[in-house]
Amino acid sequence: MARKYLIETFGCQMNVHDSERFAGLLEQAGYEAAADLSEADLVLLNTCSVRERAAEKLFSRLGEDPIAARVDGSRPVIAVAGCVAQQEGRAILRRAPYVDVIVGTQAARQLPALVEQALASGRAQFDVDRYEDVSFPLGVARRGDPVKAYVTILEGCNDHCAYCVVPSTRGRERMRSKADILAEVQEAVAGGRREIQLLGQIVNDYQAPDDPACDFPALLEAVDAVRGVERIRFASPHPRHASERLIAAIRDLPHVCKHVHLPIQSGSTRVLQLMRRRHTREDYLRLVDALRHAVPAVAISTDLIVGFPGETLEDFECSLSLVAAVRFESMFSFKYSERPNTLAARRMPDDVGGEEKARRLAALHDVQREIQMEGYRAAVGGVFDVLVDSVSRRRAQEVAGRTTGNVVVNLPGRREWLGRTLRVRIVGAGSNSLRGEAAEVGD
Ligand code: SAH
Ligand code: SF4
Ligand code: F3S
């Protein structure tokens, strides 16, 4: 009988896509997906280290009984992958001695061999070496989404923002070839995917190693021209590298969604400098103006950190006023969390305090919630293109999709609509999604 695997994923979109790659590698090695933990011969935990709470999830998960030992005393092989594996390496064994395999972010392809070696030797195996190669065999990843496909275009980051662990867990920035990226886009479309999500730590740093003329806007153009691609999204661009050509690409390319996720991190130029973001509040506001001028309907979302070391009340007020001024369509905000191997951890004491961070986060949420609700209410009565991407698990005859601006719309519908773009009339607004009705549906 084939051995069975189960993967649990804790991280960002790239981490989710890495899990799709691991699934494919294991299936190539003869494994099958397990229905649940009780039948798994191998459990792979794909971890995230971006904030302390995310990293601790690994150890709380490892501490739970079912994963450590079954009633009959047997237990699955336990493998740890992802950013915590890369960061901690062998040290994971000190806190969790029963882990069998530790595989770093750049050594993914070694997973099946490491599992075999662990089984044969009865000893823990690990590989956290820095492999520079970011190619990945075509057609191996087991995509979990029927409509959307992640395609990694670059891995790693050379920016070293003061708070961020990612450059140490993902390594130096490495570009995938344009040929590989386009082949994967074609393969995803041939497999029925309609939306391509290009992934990288700073996507707009992209420079094709196999085509000197191909930077990120040129790559968007090439992906846009692939037949069958209906939508393109990308995450994340860095404001510092957002060029006029990128703005023009968002304006002109028919399949590129009118949505940009543009992390700001802080509204205070002083804090942005401490963070080593290398742009000012004014640069960002100018960029937003340029984007909205070129693409009036563009939706802009962001990431924001509160309580970075040295953030005064005045600095925080700058974040609040920036959020009010830009009116983001959505925002992910976080309490600053000190991470190993970062400039801030070495030089900047975490001095804002937990309660104060929580207060600032709540204040930010209040402002954002109001802005978002106003936007949602204004959408009621309008008609939008919605790409249907999921079927409701809770309600029969209900589907969900997104507008090009990335707002979730729930509507009555059928499973056969998956992957179709419909004209949808908005009839109501919830706190995190809209309600709609298909305006016209052919069969
Ligand atoms: N590559 C992405 C960022 C990935 S991390 C980019 O450069 O845009 C996702 C978000 O987590 C960041 O944008 C930041 O807002 C947040 N983040 C990163 N490190 C953090 C830390 N130490 N504490 C709190 N939030 C953090
Ligand atoms: Fe982290 Fe900054 Fe690189 Fe983004 S750009 S991954 S926030 S170091
Ligand atoms: Fe987390 Fe690593 Fe992604 S730290 S956010 S899983 S790159």
Side-chain angles (χ1 to χ4, degrees):
M1 218 173 57
R3 288 184 288 175
K4 301 209 163 160
Y5 72 90
L6 187 87
I7 302 180
E8 294 183 14
T9 306
F10 301 150
C12 61
Q13 291 159 309
M14 189 178 283
N15 185 254
V16 171
H17 183 47
D18 288 342
S19 287
E20 297 177 337
R21 288 176 164 188
F22 282 126
L25 290 168
L26 289 169
E27 293 190 12
Q28 254 187 346
Y31 283 77
E32 283 173 8
D36 57 40
L37 190 58
S38 68
E39 66 171 38
D41 302 295
L42 167 68
V43 176
L44 175 69
L45 305 176
N46 195 10
T47 60
C48 173
S49 179
V50 78
R51 284 168 290 276
E52 187 180 3
R53 184 119 64 97
E56 279 305 313
K57 264 196 207 163
L58 166 67
F59 294 102
S60 52
R61 187 72 188 90
L62 283 172
E64 289 166 21
D65 284 348
I67 204 168
R70 295 195 176 121
V71 191
D72 66 1
S74 73
R75 65 172 186 81
V77 171
I78 299 174
V80 179
C83 287
V84 180
Q86 185 67 45
Q87 179 188 301
E88 301 288 327
R90 230 194 154 95
I92 288 175
L93 295 174
R94 267 189 255 136
R95 284 178 72 182
Y98 41 82
V99 166
D100 303 288
V101 171
I102 295 164
V103 57
T105 53
Q106 302 183 29
R109 284 206 239 174
Q110 314 303 322
L111 175 72
L114 292 167
V115 172
E116 287 318 308
Q117 285 156 18
L119 285 169
S121 68
R123 281 201 315 273
Q125 303 294 314
F126 73 104
D127 187 346
V128 291
D129 288 355
R130 301 281 186 184
Y131 296 86
E132 292 292 302
D133 181 11
V134 287
S135 66
F136 193 80
L138 191 64
V140 170
R142 287 271 295 139
R143 298 189 185 280
D145 191 300
V147 177
K148 298 181 271 193
Y150 293 129
V151 176
T152 296
I153 66 166
L154 61 85
E155 291 179 44
C157 180
N158 299 340
D159 250 44
H160 299 281
C161 299
Y163 50 82
C164 185
V165 75
V166 171
S168 87
T169 62
R170 286 275 175 189
R172 288 192 323 145
E173 183 179 69
R174 285 115 48 226
M175 309 288 172
R176 244 180 124 193
S177 75
K178 176 185 173 188
D180 278 9
I181 293 168
L182 291 180
E184 191 173 333
V185 169
Q186 277 156 357
E187 179 247 356
V189 170
R193 272 72 190 188
R194 292 286 163 263
E195 178 171 312
I196 302 296
Q197 300 199 357
L198 303 175
L199 302 182
Q201 275 65 39
I202 303 185
V203 281
N204 49 340
D205 250 0
Y206 184 74
Q207 173 57 61
D210 53 339
D211 179 356
C214 184
D215 59 2
F216 185 62
L219 182 72
L220 283 178
E221 203 173 312
V223 175
D224 194 81
V226 174
R227 268 182 77 160
V229 170
E230 197 154 310
R231 281 188 175 178
I232 304 168
R233 297 189 192 276
F234 50 87
S236 297
H238 193 300
R240 186 161 60 92
H241 304 281
S243 61
E244 278 176 29
R245 287 187 46 244
L246 176 60
I247 295 175
I250 297 165
R251 181 191 61 203
D252 298 337
L253 297 173
H255 304 295
V256 172
C257 288
K258 307 300 179 223
H259 167 231
V260 191
H261 183 68
L262 203 56
I264 175 66
Q265 315 299 2
S266 168
S268 151
T269 294
R270 197 184 75 83
V271 173
L272 288 170
Q273 269 164 1
L274 292 172
M275 288 176 161
R276 304 290 195 272
R277 290 291 288 179
R278 295 183 255 184
H279 66 81
T280 63
R281 171 192 176 98
E282 288 69 34
D283 294 335
Y284 188 87
L285 291 173
R286 266 195 299 275
L287 174 58
V288 167
D289 275 349
L291 255 168
R292 290 208 167 127
H293 182 73
V295 194
V298 73
I300 303 176
S301 57
T302 203
D303 292 344
L304 209 149
I305 297 174
V306 300
F308 184 77
E311 183 187 76
T312 61
L313 270 181
E314 210 182 330
D315 292 318
F316 173 63
E317 297 286 334
C318 292
S319 290
L320 282 178
S321 70
L322 181 125
V323 167
V326 175
R327 299 183 64 83
F328 293 104
E329 263 71 11
S330 72
M331 176 178 77
F332 300 93
S333 44
F334 312 99
K335 290 188 250 180
Y336 169 71
S337 166
E338 188 173 281
R339 305 308 296 133
N341 309 320
T342 60
L343 183 71
R346 279 195 299 279
R347 300 219 207 122
M348 306 172 187
D350 184 4
D351 57 4
V352 174
E355 265 178 48
E356 181 56 18
K357 284 181 193 165
R359 196 194 67 75
R360 292 182 191 181
L361 193 68
L364 201 58
H365 280 171
D366 286 347
V367 174
Q368 178 60 23
R369 190 176 316 115
E370 199 48 46
I371 293 170
Q372 207 162 306
M373 265 327 288
E374 281 170 25
Y376 282 12
R377 276 189 226 116
V380 175
V383 177
F384 295 84
D385 284 334
V386 171
L387 172 58
V388 177
D389 58 21
S390 60
V391 176
S392 172
R393 281 193 217 129
R394 283 174 300 154
R395 296 199 207 180
Q397 303 293 306
E398 167 124 345
V399 298
R402 284 175 191 258
T403 65
T404 173
N406 211 31
V407 179
V408 174
V409 183
N410 298 300
L411 65 153
R414 303 195 305 270
R415 172 169 292 278
E416 300 81 75
W417 293 3
L418 263 183
R420 279 165 64 176
T421 301
L422 307 172
R423 299 288 291 161
V424 173
R425 182 177 308 284
I426 304 304
V427 297
S431 50
N432 287 308
S433 61
L434 297 173
R435 263 211 86 66
E437 284 166 4
E440 58 198 64
V441 194
D443 276 311

